[in-house]
Amino acid sequence: MPTIDEFRAEVRGAVVTAEDADYDDARAVWNAMTDKRPLAVIRAEQVADVIAAVNFARDSGLELSVRGGGHSAPGFGTNDKGVVIDLSMMRHVHVDPKAGTARAGGGATWGDFNYATHAYGLATTGGIVSTTGVAGLTLGGGIAISPAASGSPWTTCDR
Ligand SMILES: Cc1cc2nc3c(=O)[nH]c(=O)nc-3n(C[C@H](O)[C@H](O)[C@H](O)COP(=O)(O)OP(=O)(O)OC[C@H]3O[C@@H](n4cnc5c(N)ncnc54)[C@H](O)[C@@H]3O)c2cc1C
């Protein structure tokens, strides 16, 4: 079974445990109804960190959670005694104005997305609050800002 130190040595993002001074910051989620104490939080910097974290959790028999914007009311983005992949360092948004498409990093929020697309005069049907994660909302929400004129809400997957 791999150790935390072996995991740390393998990745570029910081691996934070209860012994670190910034543990409380690292384990905190935006939705303060959830207060959990994972064994380790990795602040993933790139895809290789995510792969390493999945392997570490699997090989150690630990629960694994993925955290985007941290808004989940049931606290699905974290856990007790397991591994949390914090994607908040992976917030890039790449806009292709010709195709009218955008690719968002796993930790991008709707604020990040709107900032990037606005520069091109583009927008899509995202969430109401800027700090909600793009991926989390798309997977587990999907109710978009309802334009006053439309009469009914749009869904994120409409656009
Ligand atoms: C203030 C507030 C406003 C909201 N507004 C809206 C709204 O306008 N429309 C709407 O439809 N919903 C809305 N929601 C609900 C919201 O969409 C869901 O709670 C959503 O799941 C939150 O995603 P997150 O990334 O912020 O949260 P997290 O807690 O980080 O993640 C939620 C779930 O998504 C998974 N996840 C997150 N990112 C990834 C990823 N990159 N890859 C794989 N899995 C991932 C997590 O593992 C977890 O299971 C709102 C919630 C709050 C608290």
Side-chain angles (χ1 to χ4, degrees):
M1 212 162 67
T3 65
I4 289 279
D5 283 342
E6 286 168 339
F7 178 39
R8 272 203 181 104
E10 198 184 339
V11 293
R12 293 204 169 175
V15 176
V16 184
T17 69
E19 287 161 21
D20 296 306
D22 55 345
Y23 177 67
D24 283 336
D25 279 344
R27 72 183 180 87
V29 293
W30 183 93
N31 198 321
M33 288 193 301
T34 296
D35 181 18
K36 298 207 171 173
R37 302 185 67 83
L39 173 74
V41 178
I42 172 165
R43 292 177 162 143
E45 291 185 6
Q46 48 182 288
V47 170
D49 286 351
V50 175
I51 293 170
V54 171
N55 289 338
F56 173 72
R58 186 193 55 237
D59 296 346
S60 307
L62 294 167
E63 188 177 344
L64 176 69
S65 302
V66 176
R67 190 167 89 217
H71 276 217
S72 172
F76 289 153
T78 185
N79 62 57
D80 281 319
K81 299 180 184 172
V83 176
V84 172
I85 302 175
D86 171 7
L87 294 175
S88 63
M89 309 273 287
M90 297 175 64
R91 290 164 59 168
H92 58 277
V93 179
H94 176 74
V95 182
D96 180 342
K98 279 194 182 157
T101 60
R103 293 179 74 87
T109 64
W110 283 106
D112 300 322
F113 188 94
N114 293 340
Y115 178 70
T117 56
H118 180 253
Y120 295 93
L122 297 170
T124 194
T125 48
I128 294 160
V129 175
S130 64
T131 52
T132 311
V134 172
L137 182 140
T138 305
L139 294 167
I143 300 165
I145 293 171
S146 175
S150 83
S152 64
W154 288 351
T155 61
T156 303
C157 60
D158 282 343
R159 300 291 184 278

